[in-house]
Amino acid sequence: MSKEAVFLGFPEEFQEKFLIYPPKVKEIISTKKFNQYRQLLTFSQEELDDEFLKKKQYSPTPLEFLLSNSYHNKEFEKIAKEAFYFFTRQNVVFLYEQKIILFGKLEKELKRAKSLKDLVYLDEENFFSFQNKIRECLGEKAIEPPNPNEHPKIRAMKAKARYRDKIKAKQGGINLLTSLASICCMGIGVTPLNIGEMSYASLGILINTYQNKEKYEIDIASIQAGADSKKINPKYWIKNLE
């Protein structure tokens, strides 16, 4: 997705099929199942491999995992469909035998469509791209597709690295409340009265930019106060974001 659109909270088309909506702060806070929605639609193949290979079981694809659990658990199916509606504003139908997620009402879409090309759906061919668009609309980085020919040792090393990252994520970082309060103290016109209208993805972008600005100003002030300029390397804070 366009980073500018995500920052401002504008929806974008996915493969000219439907829109994906970057959620606003108020939507995240008012949606109790948001974390479940996020997890269900962004499970990666590597995460599933980590979980299933430990049990010496077949590791499904993210789409297979979603459909299989939905088929066997109606509560799971309900939450999964809510997750699609949260991000796309559209209802979906799970066609289990065909391994397809159809957008719209089944009877209406079948009457309207003259061929399979007229239907709007997700399958194994585009589900990975859809997942990346969900990640991007939340301000997260898109991931690379898994390499089926990757050496087992490299795969194991990556699995350990992912485990360490999860532990670090639980231990460090600032929570949402701290992020909201920090942005309201930046003096940029954001207050508790309007911060809810911002896109969720913009929070991290603003905090990172402000931290870069603050570090640059501290470095400049330190040099002006007589600090050793050889040990301080001010980096101008206005630069392209990664």
Side-chain angles (χ1 to χ4, degrees):
M1 293 185 76
S2 160
K3 292 181 180 179
E4 295 80 7
V6 169
F7 182 76
L8 296 175
F10 292 146
E12 279 205 351
E13 275 193 326
F14 174 73
Q15 297 182 350
E16 299 182 350
K17 293 179 179 293
F18 51 82
L19 293 174
I20 294 178
Y21 294 79
K24 295 181 179 180
V25 170
K26 66 180 182 181
E27 292 172 326
I28 296 293
I29 294 173
S30 63
T31 303
K32 294 181 179 180
K33 296 177 184 176
F34 166 70
N35 286 327
Q36 289 177 274
Y37 296 166
R38 175 189 214 160
Q39 188 176 42
L40 286 178
L41 298 190
T42 60
F43 258 121
S44 70
Q45 185 64 63
E46 289 81 4
E47 288 173 321
L48 292 173
D49 289 346
D50 293 346
E51 184 66 28
F52 282 85
L53 293 179
K54 283 190 299 185
K55 303 175 183 177
K56 296 183 179 181
Q57 296 177 350
Y58 164 77
S59 180
T61 66
L63 180 62
E64 287 174 336
F65 177 79
L66 179 66
L67 291 176
S68 176
N69 280 279
S70 295
Y71 180 78
H72 292 99
N73 186 323
K74 290 305 174 185
E75 180 61 23
F76 187 102
E77 180 188 56
K78 177 176 176 292
I79 295 173
K81 289 182 177 181
E82 289 174 1
F84 280 100
Y85 189 84
F86 180 82
F87 286 103
T88 69
R89 307 294 191 269
Q90 290 201 48
N91 293 310
V92 296
V93 179
F94 295 159
L95 303 181
Y96 294 107
E97 291 186 7
Q98 294 79 9
K99 286 175 61 175
I100 283 176
I101 297 173
L102 178 70
F103 283 76
K105 293 184 178 180
L106 181 59
E107 293 183 2
K108 182 179 179 181
E109 291 302 308
L110 291 178
K111 288 181 180 179
R112 179 187 66 82
K114 296 180 180 179
S115 68
L116 189 62
K117 292 181 180 180
D118 295 328
L119 297 174
V120 177
Y121 61 89
L122 295 172
D123 59 10
E124 288 289 7
E125 290 188 11
N126 61 3
F127 191 69
F128 178 81
S129 296
F130 170 77
Q131 286 188 301
N132 266 339
K133 294 303 179 185
I134 296 298
R135 294 184 183 100
E136 290 175 339
C137 86
L138 293 169
E140 301 172 7
K141 290 183 179 180
I143 65 174
E144 295 294 324
N147 178 7
N149 301 316
E150 192 169 57
H151 194 282
K153 288 186 176 179
I154 296 177
R155 187 180 301 173
M157 289 173 60
K158 289 183 177 179
K160 289 181 180 178
R162 286 193 296 273
Y163 178 76
R164 289 194 298 268
D165 290 342
K166 286 181 180 179
I167 297 299
K168 288 180 181 179
K170 290 180 180 179
Q171 294 175 342
I174 59 176
N175 58 34
L176 180 58
L177 176 59
T178 303
S179 297
L180 297 176
S182 299
I183 291 173
C184 289
C185 294
M186 288 180 182
I188 57 175
V190 179
T191 73
L193 299 177
N194 58 23
I195 196 170
E197 296 298 326
M198 293 173 55
S199 71
Y200 175 72
S202 69
L203 299 182
I205 297 172
L206 283 174
I207 288 174
N208 288 338
T209 302
Y210 191 81
Q211 287 174 333
N212 291 335
K213 178 177 181 289
E214 190 175 49
K215 184 179 186 307
Y216 173 76
E217 291 174 344
I218 290 174
D219 286 346
I220 292 296
S222 297
I223 293 174
Q224 290 175 339
D228 189 348
S229 60
K230 293 181 180 179
K231 296 181 180 179
I232 299 176
N233 182 27
K235 294 182 180 179
Y236 191 55
W237 63 279
I238 297 181
K239 56 184 178 182
N240 289 333
L241 298 170
E242 294 183 0

